[in-house]
Amino acid sequence: MNPRKEESPLIHVYIPIVSSYRKEQHVEELKTAALHFKDLGLSTYPDHLQSPIKIDDEFVFFGGSQETFGNNKRRMEIEFLKLINRAKLVYVVATNGYLGRSASAELAYALLINASIVLSQQITEFGNEVPQEIRHIIKNNQTLLPVIPIKRIEELDRNMKNKLIKKV
Protein backbone atom coordinates (compact mmCIF):
# COMPACT_ATOMS: atom_id res chain seq x y z
CA MET A 1 0.00 0.00 0.00
CA ASN A 2 1.29 3.47 -0.86
CA PRO A 3 1.50 5.51 2.40
CA ARG A 4 1.22 8.79 0.53
CA LYS A 5 -2.40 8.05 -0.33
CA GLU A 6 -3.27 7.95 3.37
CA GLU A 7 -1.68 11.29 4.22
CA SER A 8 -3.94 14.18 5.00
CA PRO A 9 -4.22 16.89 2.35
CA LEU A 10 -3.23 19.30 5.12
CA ILE A 11 0.08 17.57 5.87
CA HIS A 12 2.30 20.46 4.81
CA VAL A 13 0.68 22.92 7.20
CA TYR A 14 2.88 23.94 10.11
CA ILE A 15 0.39 25.85 12.21
CA PRO A 16 -3.28 24.97 12.66
CA ILE A 17 -5.21 27.97 13.91
CA VAL A 18 -7.91 27.13 16.44
CA SER A 19 -10.70 29.69 16.64
CA SER A 20 -14.43 30.16 16.77
CA TYR A 21 -15.70 30.98 13.27
CA ARG A 22 -19.28 32.09 13.79
CA LYS A 23 -18.71 35.84 14.08
CA GLU A 24 -17.11 38.06 11.44
CA GLN A 25 -14.62 39.59 13.92
CA HIS A 26 -13.37 36.09 14.81
CA VAL A 27 -12.86 35.25 11.13
CA GLU A 28 -11.05 38.52 10.45
CA GLU A 29 -8.70 37.99 13.40
CA LEU A 30 -8.01 34.42 12.27
CA LYS A 31 -7.22 35.62 8.73
CA THR A 32 -4.95 38.38 10.08
CA ALA A 33 -3.04 35.85 12.20
CA ALA A 34 -2.69 33.51 9.20
CA LEU A 35 -1.36 36.36 7.07
CA HIS A 36 1.24 37.30 9.69
CA PHE A 37 2.43 33.68 9.91
CA LYS A 38 2.58 33.54 6.10
CA ASP A 39 4.80 36.63 6.15
CA LEU A 40 7.14 34.66 8.44
CA GLY A 41 7.22 31.84 5.88
CA LEU A 42 4.92 29.52 7.86
CA SER A 43 1.85 27.86 6.37
CA THR A 44 -1.39 27.71 8.33
CA TYR A 45 -4.78 26.10 8.14
CA PRO A 46 -6.92 27.89 7.50
CA ASP A 47 -4.94 30.37 5.45
CA HIS A 48 -5.69 34.05 5.00
CA LEU A 49 -7.48 33.53 1.67
CA GLN A 50 -10.03 30.96 2.77
CA SER A 51 -13.54 31.77 3.91
CA PRO A 52 -15.73 29.89 6.38
CA ILE A 53 -18.38 27.52 5.08
CA LYS A 54 -21.40 26.80 7.26
CA ILE A 55 -22.45 23.17 7.00
CA ASP A 56 -25.26 23.53 9.53
CA ASP A 57 -26.06 25.41 12.75
CA GLU A 58 -23.42 23.43 14.63
CA PHE A 59 -20.54 23.17 12.19
CA VAL A 60 -18.49 25.76 10.34
CA PHE A 61 -15.17 25.02 8.65
CA PHE A 62 -12.79 26.61 6.20
CA GLY A 63 -12.95 25.56 2.57
CA GLY A 64 -9.57 23.97 2.02
CA SER A 65 -10.75 20.43 2.66
CA GLN A 66 -14.34 20.38 1.45
CA GLU A 67 -13.42 18.84 -1.91
CA THR A 68 -11.69 15.97 -0.10
CA PHE A 69 -14.17 15.36 2.71
CA GLY A 70 -17.46 16.56 1.27
CA ASN A 71 -19.75 17.51 4.13
CA ASN A 72 -18.57 14.74 6.46
CA LYS A 73 -18.22 16.78 9.67
CA ARG A 74 -16.74 13.95 11.73
CA ARG A 75 -14.04 13.21 9.18
CA MET A 76 -13.15 16.92 8.85
CA GLU A 77 -12.80 17.24 12.62
CA ILE A 78 -10.69 14.07 12.85
CA GLU A 79 -8.37 15.38 10.13
CA PHE A 80 -8.04 18.70 11.96
CA LEU A 81 -7.15 16.85 15.18
CA LYS A 82 -4.54 14.85 13.23
CA LEU A 83 -3.18 18.14 11.97
CA ILE A 84 -2.93 19.41 15.56
CA ASN A 85 -1.08 16.21 16.46
CA ARG A 86 1.52 16.82 13.71
CA ALA A 87 1.73 20.58 14.21
CA LYS A 88 4.88 22.52 14.97
CA LEU A 89 2.72 25.03 16.81
CA VAL A 90 -1.00 25.45 17.51
CA TYR A 91 -2.14 29.08 17.56
CA VAL A 92 -5.43 29.80 19.33
CA VAL A 93 -7.31 32.94 18.31
CA ALA A 94 -9.48 33.82 21.30
CA THR A 95 -11.28 36.93 20.06
CA ASN A 96 -12.25 39.00 23.11
CA GLY A 97 -11.20 35.98 25.21
CA TYR A 98 -13.96 33.79 23.73
CA LEU A 99 -13.89 30.13 22.62
CA GLY A 100 -16.85 28.10 21.39
CA ARG A 101 -17.46 24.35 21.55
CA SER A 102 -15.27 23.08 18.71
CA ALA A 103 -12.38 25.45 19.41
CA SER A 104 -12.49 24.51 23.11
CA ALA A 105 -12.43 20.78 22.28
CA GLU A 106 -9.51 21.31 19.88
CA LEU A 107 -7.56 23.29 22.48
CA ALA A 108 -8.26 20.68 25.16
CA TYR A 109 -7.02 17.98 22.77
CA ALA A 110 -3.85 19.98 22.04
CA LEU A 111 -3.26 20.36 25.79
CA LEU A 112 -3.78 16.64 26.39
CA ILE A 113 -1.23 15.65 23.73
CA ASN A 114 1.23 18.27 25.01
CA ALA A 115 1.33 20.24 21.76
CA SER A 116 3.18 23.54 21.50
CA ILE A 117 0.38 26.09 21.95
CA VAL A 118 0.27 29.87 21.87
CA LEU A 119 -2.82 31.95 22.71
CA SER A 120 -3.71 35.29 21.11
CA GLN A 121 -5.04 36.31 24.53
CA GLN A 122 -6.18 34.66 27.76
CA ILE A 123 -9.47 32.81 27.51
CA THR A 124 -12.10 34.40 29.70
CA GLU A 125 -15.37 33.23 28.17
CA PHE A 126 -16.74 29.99 26.78
CA GLY A 127 -19.77 29.31 24.65
CA ASN A 128 -22.72 27.96 26.61
CA GLU A 129 -22.38 24.60 24.87
CA VAL A 130 -18.80 23.96 26.08
CA PRO A 131 -18.84 21.08 28.61
CA GLN A 132 -17.57 21.77 32.13
CA GLU A 133 -14.86 19.11 31.78
CA ILE A 134 -13.33 20.91 28.80
CA ARG A 135 -13.59 24.29 30.52
CA HIS A 136 -11.78 22.77 33.51
CA ILE A 137 -8.93 21.40 31.36
CA ILE A 138 -8.41 24.77 29.68
CA LYS A 139 -8.73 26.91 32.81
CA ASN A 140 -6.26 24.73 34.71
CA ASN A 141 -3.64 24.88 31.96
CA GLN A 142 -3.91 28.19 30.14
CA THR A 143 -1.66 30.10 32.55
CA LEU A 144 1.17 27.82 31.38
CA LEU A 145 0.70 28.88 27.76
CA PRO A 146 2.45 31.87 26.20
CA VAL A 147 0.31 34.72 24.91
CA ILE A 148 1.31 36.47 21.70
CA PRO A 149 -1.36 38.88 20.49
CA ILE A 150 -2.16 38.76 16.79
CA LYS A 151 -0.67 42.20 16.16
CA ARG A 152 2.65 41.00 17.62
CA ILE A 153 3.02 37.95 15.36
CA GLU A 154 4.49 40.12 12.64
CA GLU A 155 7.12 41.38 15.09
CA LEU A 156 8.60 37.93 15.64
CA ASP A 157 12.09 37.62 14.24
CA ARG A 158 13.62 34.39 12.94
CA ASN A 159 15.15 33.58 16.33
CA MET A 160 11.82 33.91 18.15
CA LYS A 161 10.06 31.97 15.40
CA ASN A 162 12.51 29.08 15.81
CA LYS A 163 11.91 29.02 19.59
CA LEU A 164 8.16 28.80 19.06
CA ILE A 165 8.46 25.98 16.54
CA LYS A 166 10.04 23.41 18.85
CA LYS A 167 9.11 20.12 17.21
CA VAL A 168 11.19 18.70 14.39
Side-chain angles (χ1 to χ4, degrees):
M1 183 183 329
N2 184 348
R4 287 190 182 270
K5 288 184 180 181
E6 293 186 25
E7 290 180 352
S8 165
L10 307 174
I11 193 134
H12 299 294
V13 173
Y14 289 101
I15 303 173
I17 300 177
V18 171
S19 179
S20 295
Y21 305 149
R22 296 205 191 310
K23 297 180 182 172
E24 187 62 30
Q25 182 184 7
H26 296 202
V27 172
E28 290 309 312
E29 285 195 6
L30 181 149
K31 287 183 174 189
T32 300
L35 184 59
H36 290 323
F37 282 118
K38 179 181 182 260
D39 290 345
L40 288 171
L42 299 168
S43 60
T44 63
Y45 179 82
D47 72 23
H48 68 288
L49 297 175
Q50 293 172 322
S51 296
I53 297 170
K54 183 177 180 179
I55 298 292
D56 58 33
D57 288 338
E58 295 182 6
F59 196 83
V60 178
F61 79 104
F62 274 75
S65 58
Q66 186 176 22
E67 304 80 36
T68 305
F69 303 122
N71 288 341
N72 187 328
K73 298 183 290 188
R74 184 173 186 271
R75 185 156 178 228
M76 282 186 258
E77 186 63 33
I78 288 169
E79 288 302 314
F80 192 70
L81 294 175
K82 286 180 184 178
L83 177 60
I84 288 172
N85 196 45
R86 292 188 304 269
K88 304 290 186 186
L89 172 74
V90 177
Y91 189 74
V92 180
V93 174
T95 304
N96 299 321
Y98 175 84
L99 280 186
R101 181 178 56 197
S102 292
S104 294
E106 292 159 0
L107 174 55
Y109 175 76
L111 285 163
L112 291 171
I113 65 167
N114 201 28
S116 296
I117 304 166
V118 174
L119 305 175
S120 66
Q121 65 186 73
Q122 288 294 318
I123 298 156
T124 58
E125 180 184 358
F126 294 94
N128 294 334
E129 69 286 355
V130 177
Q132 288 301 318
E133 296 86 356
I134 290 178
R135 292 176 194 227
H136 182 73
I137 290 168
I138 293 170
K139 287 178 182 178
N140 285 344
N141 289 283
Q142 77 169 331
T143 57
L144 305 172
L145 303 176
V147 175
I148 298 179
I150 293 169
K151 64 184 176 193
R152 290 208 33 239
I153 295 170
E154 63 186 343
E155 298 170 12
L156 297 176
D157 62 22
R158 185 176 304 275
N159 218 11
M160 293 169 80
K161 177 181 89 170
N162 290 337
K163 286 180 184 177
L164 283 175
I165 311 282
K166 296 176 204 163
K167 292 183 180 179
V168 177

